[in-house]
Amino acid sequence: MRQLLSIPPTIVRNRRRRPQLPRYLTYIVTFSCNARCIMCDSWRKPSPNDLTIDEIDSIFSQLPQLDAVRLSGGEPFVRRDLLEIAHLAQDKLRPMFLHVTTNGFLTDRIVRFCEQRRKDIPLQLLISVDGLADKHNTIRGNPQAWNYVIKTLEALAPRRRELKLQLAVNQTIVDAEGAEHYRHLRDYLEPLDIRNHFVMAYDASATYSLETETDVAPTEIGQFTTFGDFSKQQLSDLFDDVERDLERYAFPERLAKRYYLEGIRNRLLGDKGQPNPKCVALSTHMRLLPNGEVPTCQFNTRSVGSLRDQSFEALWFGDEIADQRNWVHQCPGCWAECEVLPNAIYTGDLLAKSLRPSQLFGRQRKNGSPPIPKPTRKGLPILSHKAPRAEPRT
């Protein structure tokens, strides 16, 4: 409760552009990955110098208490010590929840992690599925990707309450065919009571670029370039489907997802860059790379120092980070969900936008036209929920 009550002062300081201690950590535990995704070069990046458990312990011991810790990759479960990392995060950082994003390939390891982790805080497990069957296999660069991920979902879905687990699917929309698969995947997952959250793939990310210290941030407000090609009608149909589906979400989640949807719709269809909250990178939101370096943000990997080589205090209050904070303040703003939602929460923009009728009750369709009817399962490929037992080797 004390953490929640301290958010309003944080909002005031962020709106005034005053630096402060982090409250939200995104830690990329490794760039290594057992997928070969077409929209990501993480698997091509070398990751030979990942922080050791002792180094992570030392770094976490210096950080303040956090609201949330997000463990990502690469593929985080290729690290056999991920459970130890999670326990260190819970012991040292005392977050309100832990978030892990995975491709779902390593079923047995993922299930063991969920079973063996301490259950004193909830775990948000987001599993990447980008379409049905061959579509997902193509995007993830592995002919067994679909079988692996369905096996993982089926193993965990019935045990959510027991494991204190919030389970969802993250669908990255890479092209027009992927947009069509949003509807099919939603209906396929319905018997498992799992929702597929959509995000639009952008054309470039500094974090997963093969280049180091690179800046691919937008140069003007509202700029967003998709990874694949779409017609405006294809985008409109997708966004309308997502808007309708949000009515089934719990209220807080619905507000957050609707906020992201509004921004991506406006950027791709409305030629405007709103909402556009102030960025909290290098302030309330801190990123940590596998080797201990602290980059500026998702789209600018210029490092402000390394927590492997210097103390958190020296880094967070040093001259180098001050220069990059000035860069953040001048940035016109991006629309990657992993950056947008911390920005929206910790500047109060999500709360302000949530009080509007369009956020509370949904987007009003023009001319009083009825909602788009829900697609049926007719015409979907017949797929078995059963998956083979084999798992990829790491």
Side-chain angles (χ1 to χ4, degrees):
M1 179 59 71
R2 184 162 51 184
Q3 285 174 268
L4 293 175
L5 292 176
S6 66
I7 290 179
T10 295
I11 289 173
V12 172
R13 290 182 65 85
N14 278 327
R15 295 179 77 89
R16 293 177 178 175
R17 298 290 199 186
R18 294 180 180 175
Q20 54 194 318
L21 292 173
R23 301 182 62 133
Y24 187 104
L25 173 66
T26 297
Y27 174 26
I28 298 175
V29 300
T30 185
F31 283 125
S32 298
C33 190
N34 50 359
R36 299 292 182 265
C37 301
I38 62 174
M39 67 289 193
C40 176
D41 283 329
S42 180
W43 57 276
R44 301 178 190 271
K45 291 173 69 73
S47 198
N49 201 24
D50 296 348
L51 293 169
T52 66
I53 283 294
D54 287 343
E55 288 174 322
I56 295 167
D57 189 344
S58 175
I59 291 170
F60 284 4
S61 296
Q62 300 175 59
L63 300 182
Q65 182 177 5
L66 300 176
D67 296 334
V69 174
R70 178 172 173 255
L71 304 178
S72 186
E75 169 49 45
F77 283 98
V78 302
R79 283 198 64 150
R80 295 180 180 275
D81 56 1
L82 187 65
L83 182 64
E84 294 176 75
I85 296 174
H87 284 163
L88 282 174
Q90 290 178 235
D91 289 339
K92 306 291 185 177
L93 305 176
R94 295 167 291 149
M96 291 185 287
F97 66 88
L98 182 70
H99 177 107
V100 180
T101 302
T102 174
N103 61 31
F105 284 16
L106 299 172
T107 301
D108 290 346
R109 198 176 295 181
I110 295 168
V111 171
R112 281 197 305 271
F113 175 91
C114 294
E115 291 173 337
Q116 295 174 8
R117 76 173 193 93
R118 293 204 312 275
K119 312 297 190 300
D120 49 322
I121 62 171
L123 170 64
Q124 296 180 349
L125 188 66
L126 199 59
I127 300 182
S128 299
V129 188
D130 302 321
L132 291 181
D134 289 343
K135 180 62 177 176
H136 179 65
N137 293 342
T138 299
I139 293 173
R140 294 285 155 174
N142 187 313
Q144 292 298 315
W146 171 260
N147 290 333
Y148 296 143
V149 77
I150 292 302
K151 181 182 177 184
T152 301
L153 290 170
E154 288 189 324
L156 292 175
R159 303 181 62 189
R160 278 173 281 197
R161 178 171 296 186
E162 167 204 347
L163 299 174
K164 204 170 184 180
L165 174 65
Q166 299 170 12
L167 181 65
V169 156
N170 188 68
Q171 183 181 1
T172 303
I173 307 293
V174 300
D175 55 23
E177 185 183 14
E180 284 295 322
H181 274 250
Y182 168 80
R183 306 160 185 100
H184 303 332
L185 183 59
R186 175 199 59 205
D187 290 348
Y188 186 83
L189 294 171
E190 191 171 0
L192 294 172
D193 192 27
I194 297 175
R195 294 192 177 97
N196 57 321
H197 301 166
F198 100 110
V199 291
M200 296 298 298
Y202 32 81
D203 67 331
S205 164
T207 300
Y208 301 111
S209 170
L210 296 177
E211 299 179 17
T212 58
E213 302 242 338
T214 185
D215 176 3
V216 295
T219 56
E220 58 186 36
I221 294 175
Q223 181 181 345
F224 188 104
T225 305
T226 57
F227 178 84
D229 296 326
F230 303 84
S231 70
K232 289 202 170 186
Q233 188 61 54
Q234 288 167 333
L235 289 172
S236 181
D237 289 345
L238 170 64
F239 298 155
D240 284 344
D241 273 349
V242 173
E243 176 70 48
R244 183 198 59 251
D245 291 342
L246 291 180
E247 296 303 320
R248 297 182 290 176
Y249 282 45
F251 182 69
E253 189 177 27
R254 183 167 72 246
L255 292 180
K257 296 301 180 183
R258 189 168 277 153
Y259 184 92
Y260 171 76
L261 175 61
E262 179 184 4
I264 197 66
R265 187 195 290 269
N266 285 343
R267 283 160 174 77
L268 295 181
L269 295 179
D271 296 322
K272 57 183 179 180
Q274 298 298 325
N276 194 40
K278 289 181 170 64
C279 184
V280 299
L282 299 181
S283 178
T284 312
H285 185 190
M286 185 180 97
R287 286 179 171 268
L288 182 63
L289 296 182
N291 64 357
E293 291 188 354
V294 175
T296 303
C297 68
Q298 170 82 352
F299 294 100
N300 184 336
T301 49
R302 178 175 175 182
S303 173
V304 298
S306 171
L307 292 178
R308 169 177 264 156
D309 303 322
Q310 61 192 122
S311 70
F312 169 74
E313 183 176 0
L315 182 150
W316 204 249
F317 299 101
D319 293 336
E320 193 162 359
I321 198 172
D323 292 339
Q324 282 307 100
R325 284 185 179 131
N326 288 332
W327 180 91
V328 170
H329 296 165
Q330 295 168 17
C331 179
C334 70
W335 206 253
E337 188 180 43
C338 57
E339 296 284 2
V340 166
L341 292 184
N343 295 347
I345 292 168
Y346 291 115
T347 62
D349 201 57
L350 178 61
L351 177 62
K353 296 291 190 297
S354 70
L355 298 177
R356 297 178 307 170
S358 62
Q359 289 291 315
L360 292 170
F361 305 111
R363 176 172 169 266
Q364 302 300 308
R365 296 184 60 78
K366 294 180 180 180
N367 304 321
S369 57
I372 295 176
K374 179 179 178 180
T376 66
R377 293 183 67 85
K378 183 178 180 181
L380 294 185
I382 298 175
L383 298 169
S384 170
H385 277 295
K386 294 183 179 180
R389 293 186 179 183
E391 289 189 12
R393 295 173 122 186
T394 60

